[in-house]
Structures are given as C-alpha cells and as structure tokens.
Amino acid sequence: MKHFISIIFTALCFWSCSDFLEEHKTTSLSDNEIYDSEQALECNINGCYLSLHGTSLWKGGTFNEYLGSASAMLLWGGDRTSDEWLDAMYLTKYSTSNAGNKSIWTQIWAGINRCNRLIDNLPESPVEAAYKTEIEAEARLIRAIFYYTAVRLWGDVPIIRTSPVTSSELYNPREAWYKVYKFVLEDLTFAENNMRDPARVEAVTPRDNRPSK
C-alpha cells in the first residue's frame, strides 16, 4: 500500500501544474456572441426590463406614494397618524440614510448599468445599423426611467453614461438635479426620434407589449 502511495505522489510531482490549472470554458459567451445578432440584442433589452420588473418601487403603487410631498395625503388609504404615513410625507423611507433603501438604490443602478453596457457595445455589433439604432433608443428610454426615478427620490445623483471598466469609475460624484433632468430629456428625445412605431413593434416583437413612439 505504501509503495502504491509513493507511485501516486511521484506522478503528482511530475504533473504539469499549468495544465492542471488551465481553464477550459464550455458555456460562457464572449462579448461578440452576446451582441452579434438581432435576437441577441432583443435578449439584452429584456435584461434591461428585468431590472424594472424586479424593483419593488413599481409593485403595488409604492412609487406613487413616496414621490411627492403631497402624494401621501392624496393617495394614502390607511391611518394618517402612522409612522409609515409620516415616512411618505417627509420622503424618509427612501432617503439615502435609510437602511431599507439599499435594495432600491442597488436595483436602479444595476438597471442603469445594463442599459449602458448594451449601448456601449452596439457600435461593434455586426447587426444592421438601423436595427441597432432602434435598440439604442429603447435602452435609452429605460435608462431615462431609471434616472427619472433616482432624481425624484434623491435629488442630486451621479450620472454614469457608460458601463464602468475600473472600480474608480463606480464612484462618480453626484450631479446637480437639473443636470440629471437634462440627461433624462436627452435620452427621451433620442428615444422619441428613433424608437419603433407601433406597427414595427408588432412586426418585430409581436405580443410582447413593448413600448413604441
């Protein structure tokens, strides 16, 4: 038995570590494959919408309750002496110092990054230019929704125009609220001018209920 163990140990000593540690990717897709077809671009847009779908702000009317200083009085259906109602009145539920705010903040910026990553990679995609412009317009519409939500909830927020490549690019300083609104309007103007009309939406993505001009 000891002799057998010695043989195995000797074999391991001569086994090339570089071969043992070499990675062989079998399922990962390259950036080229992720953006190389019309179907791939549509999948990326669906990913951008996923961040909207997964954000609790748009479920059950929560967003409407907390957006404006008067919204609590106009829309609140419960006890107006409760702490929750006061949170709504003073917009404290989604303040940056509130621990429960973390998931909302994270989901919004994750959604913005998905839009940015798609927009950044469109120029190198081999898909027809007109199709890519339609995709960019829809991605910019979604990004505008995220930034509009962020600026309504927190006022001054960072503007991140491209997908960060280094960690230092994650920590942009806050921009004044009016600059954020200007950025939102730029995205919405591009979307208005370049998004698909209703007939085109139904032809390309039938029964998906996707937005149009």
Side-chain angles (χ1 to χ4, degrees):
M1 183 65 180
K2 291 182 180 180
H3 181 68
F4 180 70
I5 293 176
S6 298
I7 294 175
I8 294 177
F9 179 77
T10 303
L12 288 173
C13 289
F14 286 98
W15 194 352
S16 171
C17 290
S18 60
D19 291 342
F20 177 71
L21 297 176
E22 184 178 353
E23 293 186 13
H24 299 281
K25 297 182 180 181
T26 57
T27 59
S28 298
L29 295 174
S30 67
D31 281 354
N32 290 336
E33 292 171 305
I34 293 173
Y35 307 102
D36 69 351
S37 68
E38 294 177 357
Q39 293 81 1
L41 297 184
E42 298 294 343
C43 286
N44 276 275
I45 279 290
N46 287 335
C48 295
Y49 282 116
L50 182 63
S51 293
L52 285 175
H53 174 73
T55 306
S56 59
L57 274 175
W58 286 277
K59 296 178 180 178
T62 308
F63 186 48
N64 292 327
E65 296 288 358
Y66 290 94
L67 264 186
S69 59
S71 67
M73 290 185 288
L74 294 173
L75 300 174
W76 194 265
D79 179 6
R80 295 192 177 187
T81 62
S82 67
D83 290 340
E84 287 186 345
W85 181 75
L86 293 175
D87 282 346
M89 273 295 296
Y90 296 109
L91 303 180
T92 56
K93 183 175 178 64
Y94 293 116
S95 69
T96 53
S97 61
N98 186 289
N101 169 66
K102 182 178 180 180
S103 64
I104 301 298
W105 176 272
T106 300
Q107 290 172 35
I108 286 177
W109 291 104
I112 289 172
N113 186 62
R114 286 178 174 173
C115 295
N116 284 341
R117 185 169 175 80
L118 173 55
I119 294 169
D120 291 347
N121 283 278
L122 284 173
E124 301 301 321
S125 171
V127 175
E128 180 185 12
Y131 200 101
K132 291 192 293 185
T133 300
E134 293 175 344
I135 291 293
E136 180 179 356
E138 198 165 350
R140 290 178 70 164
L141 169 67
I142 301 170
R143 186 171 68 178
I145 293 172
F146 281 121
Y147 271 108
Y148 177 74
T149 304
V151 73
R152 290 294 303 275
L153 290 174
W154 300 300
D156 301 350
V157 295
I159 298 177
I160 301 178
R161 293 172 171 81
T162 60
S163 183
V165 177
T166 64
S167 58
S168 62
E169 295 175 303
L170 291 172
Y171 302 104
N172 288 12
R174 291 179 180 234
E175 298 274 2
W177 59 268
Y178 58 87
K179 293 182 180 180
V180 183
Y181 276 119
K182 182 176 183 292
F183 185 62
V184 168
L185 289 172
E186 290 171 358
D187 270 356
L188 292 178
T189 300
F190 186 91
E192 182 182 19
N193 292 332
N194 296 285
M195 280 185 68
R196 298 162 177 161
D197 59 32
R200 172 71 172 160
V201 170
E202 186 59 25
V204 179
T205 57
R207 299 178 298 279
D208 279 0
N209 297 316
R210 293 263 285 277
S212 66
K213 287 190 178 184

